[in-house]
DNA sequence: TTGCATTGTCATCAC
DNA sequence: TGGTGATGACAATGC
């Protein structure tokens, strides 16, 4: 039942979405009125949880598969969200996930469908039956029934709509479309609107739908209420069918495919107005786990686009001179498709990451540097510049993109000036530069991926970093800082709480301090720690003014750090045995009973233990005295074993407490320093990235200049008979000594064929 | 009521 | 070997 409900909900919601987009309202409740709860109840749920707010809140979580089955609302939300995700993937995925939904609806309509029959409609949709269905405006069964499977599909769809009842029920349902239904459709529509889908899209679809309805139709199929069924067919065909004639009503699926596809990707991709422009490019990767990555990547794309635009706007466009007839690649570049200028390569289609990583590549390095374009796209011009393909690899392995000398003088020429090889011509360095630049671009992408974020969203990132770390850059306000007054207050509060619960700690006890446990037990007999008093003191502690009347408590409000524990207030005269002081305080206790409670309340456990054990010196001394003095102090007093153990425990705990505070402060400082370091590194990286872009730009300009010079020189060359050298047969080479050689192309097949049958013209330029 | 931050404490290790 | 600091882990507490 759960699965049935899920699938049922999926199908219904999807169809509702689709129908709402084309303006047709179908009350599917009528199909299911007797077996399942109403659609609006399924969608909206018993509660009004189907709100945009929750929708968005749930967006970043897993889809509803992990939800507890009893969580009906969440299941509905997640199901709805998953549906939207599927719809969103329609422009990327060839996997017709909607097929499943189709037969699911069919299954719901017929209540029981076996697994074998479930797969049948999917096959039908896959084999293009659905397309035929779309192409056939009349929707005749003969046309749709090209194969057995389509028939089953159609029949199933027909069975979904028991038209007699459906008609009437649909009419009724349309008439009394409840407010929830309208709200649902409005919500869906508003989401599309918010995401960029204009209403005209829907209106256009609606018009198309209306015009389609006006067409003569098969009377056996076209009944009054058959529009719903048609819509269903359209919805079915939407998933698996190709776009059809946009001038007729059959293009409706495409029309409402666009807004559906761009339901939530609109912000980063096309707007729904691109009714024809959404290529349903197949995507090999699975869909759902890709969504978040896709969206993140789209964000990166946007930032990269900005960067590429910045580079392009500031640099001359060299593509103009090298544009060839291969308009496909050129257009793809010009259109900002950011492909690697290699045409419809699988990488271009599938690896969107790299695809988007190359905006600056394809822009900064025009196709002149692209070996593939050299060979394919710019063949006519390449007769002059194109190297032998066998040579390019060698050259490519030796050139460096950033090596300017390598650009103008190939390294092997540099190494062996006498053996000037045949064909390492300019295109080779260029193409090599492409590869190098590709690599650079990859690293550039890595930079840009981060820099794009850090630059475009630097402040936001900083905020996020701050918020994520939960730390404030102002370490002086760090709560761990013992010097801050806030810390004192918090420490006071902490100690107060500790004291407040101390009376109950007898149960908790200290396994290591058995004596202390006994002492604490007798502490109750000592008196002054009744829970009632503690409670009273805790409440009265909120008012610091209560300390004003107590001179010995002057430091309480401002010195609650560990280094100066509250007991130090009693240790104004450390020489005095604490028992005396305690006695004196106890004498005052009758007058300042709340104050005493405050003191006890704010005293640490060790302080109270020390008082209980009648330790004759303060905890501060116990903790802070150097070892020698501490030992002397112990020697001066005749202490019992229990007192000695307690003192050592107090000292150990006190030192450890300070150590813990220091440790935490160090941690905090480390984190802050790391944050600052990250910030600095990001800034440096941004600067380096900018410099690199400038270098790339200058290199490109130099290459262009070099190319023009090359052409100019080559066109001026004449042989002994005064005839120009055909560029397809000769090429220029540069020697290390600066001389320029003209070499026949056919001879040069690499460094292996270093046949010096070169026409060494030695035309010194 | 729950989640988070703070603080104290203990155990352990290294010096 | 004991003292001490550092640090992870845990619990208590308050907000």
């Amino acid at each position: 039942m759960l699965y049935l409900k899920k699938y049922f909900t999926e199908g219904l919601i999807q169809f509702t979405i689709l129908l709402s987009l084309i303006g047709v309202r179908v009350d599917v409740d009528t199909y299911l009125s007797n077996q399942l709860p109403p659609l609006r109840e399924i969608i909206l749920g018993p509660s009004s949880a189907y709100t945009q707010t929750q929708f968005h809140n749930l967006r970043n979580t897993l889809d509803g598969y992990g939800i507890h089955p009893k969580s009906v609302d969440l299941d509905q939300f997640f199901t709805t969200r998953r549906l939207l995700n599927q719809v969103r993937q329609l422009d990327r995925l060839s996997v017709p996930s909607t097929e499943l939904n189709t037969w699911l609806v069919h299954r719901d309509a017929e209540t029981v469908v076996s697994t074998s029959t479930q797969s049948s409609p999917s096959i039908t949709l896959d084999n293009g039956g659905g397309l035929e269905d779309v192409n056939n405006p009349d929707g005749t069964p003969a046309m749709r029934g090209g194969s057995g499977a389509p028939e089953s599909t159609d029949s199933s769809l027909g069975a979904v709509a028991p038209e007699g009842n459906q008609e009437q029920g649909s009419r009724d349902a349309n008439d009394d479309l409840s407010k929830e239904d309208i709200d649902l459709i409005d919500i869906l529509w508003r989401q599309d609107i918010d995401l960029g889908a204009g209403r005209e899209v829907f209106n256009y679809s609606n018009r198309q739908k209306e015009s389609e309805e006006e067409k003569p139709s098969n009377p056996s199929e076209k009944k009054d209420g058959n529009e719903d069924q048609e819509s269903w067919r359209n919805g079915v065909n939407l998933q698996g069918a190709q776009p059809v004639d946009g001038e007729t009503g059959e293009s409706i699926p495409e029309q409402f495919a666009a807004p559906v596809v761009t339901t939530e990707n609109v912000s980063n991709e096309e707007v729904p107005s691109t009714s024809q422009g959404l290529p349903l490019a197949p995507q090999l990767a699975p869909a759902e786990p890709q969504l978040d990555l896709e969206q993140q990547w789209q964000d990166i794309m946007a930032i990269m686009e900005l960067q590429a635009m910045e580079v392009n706007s500031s640099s001359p466009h060299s593509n103009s001179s090298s544009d060839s007839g291969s308009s496909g690649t050129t257009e793809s570049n010009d259109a900002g498709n950011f492909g690697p200028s290699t045409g419809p390569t699988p990488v271009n289609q599938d690896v969107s990451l790299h695809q988007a990583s190359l905006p600056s590549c394809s822009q900064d390095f025009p196709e002149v540097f692209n070996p593939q374009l050299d060979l394919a796209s710019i063949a006519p011009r390449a007769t002059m510049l194109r190297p032998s393909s066998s040579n390019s690899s060698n050259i490519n392995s030796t050139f460096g993109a950033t090596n300017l000398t390598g650009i103008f003088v190939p390294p092997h020429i540099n190494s062996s000036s006498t053996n000037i090889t045949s064909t390492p011509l300019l295109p080779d360095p260029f193409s090599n530069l492409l590869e190098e630049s590709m690599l650079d671009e990859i690293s550039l992408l890595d930079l840009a991926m981060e820099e794009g974020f850090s630059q475009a969203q630097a402040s936001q990132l900083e905020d996020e970093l701050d918020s994520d770390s939960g730390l404030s850059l102002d370490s002086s306000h760090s709560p761990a800082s013992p010097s801050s007054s806030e810390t004192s207050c918090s420490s006071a509060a902490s100690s107060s709480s500790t004291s407040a619960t101390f009376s109950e700690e007898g149960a908790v006890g200290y396994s290591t301090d058995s004596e202390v446990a006994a002492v604490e037990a007798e502490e109750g007999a000592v008196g002054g720690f009744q829970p009632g008093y503690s409670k009273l003191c805790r409440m009265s502690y909120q008012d610091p003014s209560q300390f004003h009347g107590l001179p010995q408590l002057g430091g309480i409000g401002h010195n609650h750090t560990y280094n100066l524990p509250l007991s130090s207030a009693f240790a104004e005269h450390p020489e005095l045995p604490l028992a005396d002081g305690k006695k004196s305080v106890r004498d005052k206790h009758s007058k300042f009973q709340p104050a005493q409670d405050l003191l006890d309340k704010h005293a640490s456990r060790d302080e109270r233990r020390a008082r209980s054990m009648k330790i004759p010196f303060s905890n501060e001394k116990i903790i802070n005295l150097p070892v020698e003095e501490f030992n002397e102090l112990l020697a001066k007093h005749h202490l019992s074993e229990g007192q000695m153990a307690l003192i050592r425990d107090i000292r150990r705990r006190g030192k450890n407490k300070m150590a813990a505070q220091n440790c935490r402060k160090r941690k905090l400082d480390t984190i802050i320093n790391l944050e600052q370091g990250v910030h600095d590194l990001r800034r440096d990286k941004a600067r380096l990235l900018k410099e690199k872009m400038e270098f790339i730009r200058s290199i490109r300009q130099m290459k262009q200049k070099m190319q023009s010079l090359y052409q100019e020189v080559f066109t001026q060359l004449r042989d002994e008979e005064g005839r120009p050298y055909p560029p397809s047969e000769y090429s220029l080479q540069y020697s290390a000594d600066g001389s320029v050689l003209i070499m026949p192309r056919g001879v040069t097949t690499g460094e292996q064929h270093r046949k010096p049958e070169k026409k060494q013209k030695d035309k010194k330029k």
Side-chain angles (χ1 to χ4, degrees):
Chain A
M1 185 59 190
L2 184 64
Y3 292 126
L4 176 64
K5 179 182 167 228
K6 181 185 290 182
Y7 295 144
F8 178 46
T9 308
E10 288 179 7
L12 290 181
I13 290 175
Q14 183 157 16
F15 279 119
T16 306
I17 293 169
L18 298 177
L19 293 175
S20 67
L21 292 175
I22 62 173
V24 176
R25 290 179 177 177
V26 177
D27 192 347
V28 194
D29 284 356
T30 57
Y31 305 146
L32 319 159
S33 56
N34 293 330
Q35 296 136 351
L36 292 168
L39 172 64
R40 62 174 176 270
E41 188 172 342
I42 290 174
I43 296 175
L44 295 173
S47 65
S48 59
Y50 191 77
T51 61
Q52 217 161 353
T53 301
Q54 294 208 23
F55 207 80
H56 292 302
N57 288 338
L58 296 172
R59 271 194 59 191
N60 295 326
T61 60
L62 294 174
D63 53 13
Y65 290 113
I67 302 302
H68 192 278
K70 292 183 178 179
S71 181
V72 178
D73 292 341
L74 287 180
D75 183 62
Q76 290 170 356
F77 287 126
F78 287 131
T79 302
T80 307
R81 188 177 65 83
R82 183 158 52 88
L83 276 175
L84 287 178
N85 287 338
Q86 291 178 358
V87 173
R88 264 182 267 135
Q89 298 165 26
L90 289 178
D91 61 335
R92 304 186 189 89
L93 296 175
S94 63
V95 178
S97 60
T98 321
E99 292 169 3
L100 182 63
N101 301 327
T102 301
W103 65 256
L104 284 169
V105 172
H106 159 62
R107 173 186 176 183
D108 289 335
E110 294 189 355
T111 305
V112 175
V113 175
S114 66
T115 306
S116 60
T117 54
Q118 291 168 2
S119 62
S120 173
S122 298
I123 296 171
T124 300
L125 296 175
D126 275 338
N127 62 14
L131 180 59
E132 281 187 6
D133 205 3
V134 172
N135 288 329
N136 180 15
D138 294 336
T140 57
M143 291 295 289
R144 287 192 305 271
S147 63
E151 254 183 1
S152 70
T153 301
D154 229 287
S155 63
S156 66
L157 290 174
V160 168
E163 304 196 352
N165 296 335
Q166 172 204 347
E167 181 180 349
Q168 182 62 34
S170 176
R171 289 296 176 197
D172 294 342
N174 284 335
D175 289 341
D176 60 356
L177 263 180
S178 64
K179 190 174 182 303
E180 289 83 357
D181 292 335
I182 298 173
D183 290 342
L184 168 63
I185 295 173
D186 285 340
I187 286 169
L188 294 171
W189 175 77
R190 277 197 297 270
Q191 287 179 345
D192 291 327
I193 294 299
D194 293 337
L195 293 167
R199 185 161 209 158
E200 62 278 3
V201 175
F202 312 116
N203 294 337
Y204 176 57
S205 300
N206 198 11
R207 286 197 303 272
Q208 279 192 330
K209 179 63 189 174
E210 291 172 357
S211 63
E212 184 183 16
E213 290 173 359
E214 291 173 0
K215 290 181 180 179
S217 60
N218 191 341
S220 64
E221 292 287 327
K222 297 283 183 177
K223 298 181 180 180
D224 290 340
N226 200 23
E227 58 199 19
D228 298 339
Q229 186 181 355
E230 276 300 308
S231 302
W232 282 42
R233 288 198 196 96
N234 292 333
V236 169
N237 294 326
L238 164 67
Q239 313 308 329
Q242 299 297 325
V244 295
D245 186 7
E247 299 177 356
T248 63
E250 286 76 21
S251 66
I252 286 178
E254 184 184 356
Q255 290 303 324
F256 61 71
V260 170
V261 165
T262 59
T263 297
E264 293 198 11
N265 287 336
V266 152
S267 59
N268 295 322
E269 295 198 353
E270 297 91 349
V271 292
S273 59
T274 62
S275 59
Q276 313 172 11
L278 285 178
L280 298 177
Q283 193 86 0
L284 300 179
E288 300 241 351
Q290 210 176 18
L291 273 181
D292 292 339
L293 183 62
E294 278 285 337
Q295 289 203 339
Q296 291 180 4
W297 177 244
Q298 286 165 3
D299 294 336
I300 299 172
M301 282 270 295
I303 297 168
M304 293 287 294
E305 215 167 352
L306 292 177
Q307 289 185 346
M309 288 173 62
E310 178 186 353
V311 172
N312 291 331
S313 63
S314 59
S315 63
H317 202 286
S318 63
N319 279 348
S320 58
S321 64
S322 61
D323 275 345
S324 64
S326 64
S327 60
T329 55
T330 308
E331 287 175 1
S332 67
N333 287 337
D334 292 340
N337 202 8
F338 299 145
S341 306
T342 57
T345 62
V347 172
N348 207 9
Q349 291 183 354
D350 296 333
V351 188
S352 60
L353 217 82
H354 288 170
Q355 184 182 41
S357 73
L358 292 170
S360 54
C361 173
S362 59
Q363 304 290 337
D364 287 337
F365 294 92
E367 57 194 15
V368 177
F369 311 119
N370 192 331
Q372 299 187 26
L373 286 182
D374 277 344
L375 297 177
S377 308
I378 51 174
R381 185 180 53 85
T383 56
M384 179 179 65
L385 299 176
R386 182 180 59 201
S388 65
S389 60
S390 63
N391 222 14
S392 60
S393 61
N394 296 330
I395 303 300
N396 290 342
S397 62
T398 57
F399 275 96
T402 55
N403 187 357
L404 294 181
T405 60
I407 295 172
F408 297 101
V409 179
H412 66 275
I413 296 179
N414 291 334
S415 60
S416 61
S417 59
T418 56
N419 293 332
I420 300 174
T421 58
S422 44
T423 51
L425 299 179
L426 278 176
D428 282 333
F430 288 171
S431 58
N432 174 49
L433 270 172
L434 174 71
E435 293 188 0
E436 294 289 340
S437 64
M438 294 274 285
L439 297 177
D440 289 343
E441 286 300 330
I442 293 173
S443 60
L444 202 65
L445 167 67
D446 295 337
L447 293 175
M449 284 179 66
E450 301 175 12
E451 283 308 323
F453 281 114
S454 63
Q455 286 180 340
Q457 306 171 358
S459 59
Q460 181 180 354
L461 274 180
E462 287 183 8
D463 294 340
E464 288 177 359
L465 280 175
D466 292 342
S467 62
D468 288 344
S469 64
L471 298 173
S472 172
L473 288 177
D474 188 0
S475 60
S476 63
H477 295 295
S478 168
S481 175
S483 60
S484 65
S485 59
E486 293 87 355
T487 304
S488 301
C489 296
S490 63
S491 299
S494 175
S495 62
S496 73
S497 63
T498 303
S499 302
T501 58
F502 177 68
S503 60
E504 304 166 0
E505 283 175 0
V508 176
Y510 288 87
S511 59
T512 58
D513 300 336
S514 57
E515 291 184 359
V516 175
V519 168
E520 288 172 356
E522 78 178 81
E523 231 175 318
V526 173
F529 298 98
Q530 288 84 356
Y533 271 125
S534 298
K535 197 170 183 178
L536 177 64
C537 293
R538 174 180 293 183
M539 295 178 66
S540 62
Y541 163 71
Q542 306 299 330
D543 187 6
S545 62
Q546 301 214 13
F547 297 132
H548 293 342
L550 301 174
Q552 68 271 34
L553 300 182
I556 290 178
H558 302 285
N559 190 0
H560 288 281
T561 62
Y562 169 77
N563 291 330
L564 193 57
L566 185 85
S567 63
S568 64
F570 294 96
E572 294 289 335
H573 308 282
E575 294 78 13
L576 286 176
L578 188 62
D580 296 341
K582 189 177 180 181
K583 184 179 179 181
S584 62
V585 170
R586 195 175 293 172
D587 292 340
K588 297 177 182 178
H589 191 272
S590 58
K591 293 181 180 178
F592 303 100
Q593 181 79 16
Q596 175 60 35
D597 284 339
L598 272 177
L599 297 178
D600 294 333
K601 191 175 177 57
H602 292 288
S604 67
R605 287 182 298 181
D606 283 337
E607 289 165 355
R608 281 172 295 174
R609 288 170 191 159
R611 272 186 285 159
S612 300
M613 291 287 287
K614 296 180 173 53
I615 301 300
F617 29 81
S618 67
N619 285 20
E620 183 184 6
K621 272 196 162 186
I622 293 173
I623 296 167
N624 294 326
L625 277 181
V627 185
E628 297 173 357
E629 296 182 23
F630 175 69
N631 290 331
E632 290 176 2
L633 190 65
L634 291 181
K636 277 198 293 185
H637 299 82
H638 298 286
L639 301 171
S640 65
E641 285 297 320
Q643 285 176 322
M644 293 288 287
L646 176 62
I647 287 172
R648 296 195 184 280
D649 284 341
I650 288 171
R651 185 175 173 87
R652 175 178 53 81
R653 280 192 290 263
K655 286 190 174 298
N656 185 251
K657 190 193 294 184
M658 284 192 295
Q661 290 173 350
N662 292 332
C663 181
R664 284 163 180 153
K665 189 176 185 304
R666 270 192 301 273
K667 280 184 185 175
L668 204 62
D669 293 339
T670 302
I671 292 172
I672 292 170
N673 290 334
L674 286 175
E675 283 182 342
Q676 184 61 37
V678 167
H679 187 265
D680 294 341
L681 287 175
R682 280 179 175 162
R683 194 172 52 236
D684 293 343
K685 196 164 69 173
R687 178 180 51 80
L688 292 174
L689 181 64
K690 186 177 178 183
E691 290 179 359
K692 185 173 183 177
M693 301 286 274
E694 292 174 356
F695 287 148
I696 290 172
R697 195 180 309 146
S698 63
I699 288 171
R700 185 185 58 210
Q701 291 173 354
M702 283 189 284
K703 286 173 187 171
Q704 291 172 353
K705 190 173 181 180
M706 182 68 192
Q707 182 185 355
S708 62
L709 288 174
Y710 180 91
Q711 294 179 2
E712 182 181 354
V713 168
F714 199 91
T715 53
Q716 292 177 358
L717 289 177
R718 296 292 184 274
D719 58 6
E720 294 84 354
E721 301 171 356
R723 294 175 301 183
Y725 288 100
S728 59
E729 297 177 4
Y730 296 95
S731 63
L732 292 181
Q733 298 239 341
Y734 309 89
S735 62
D737 57 356
S739 61
V740 178
L741 309 175
I742 183 165
M743 306 286 295
R745 284 184 183 273
V747 183
T748 64
T749 55
E751 294 184 357
Q752 312 91 297
H753 306 278
R754 283 184 187 168
K755 293 199 172 182
E757 50 177 296
K758 48 214 166 194
K759 285 187 176 179
Q760 188 156 349
K761 285 294 179 183
D762 272 352
K763 296 216 169 207
K764 285 246 178 179
K765 291 295 295 182

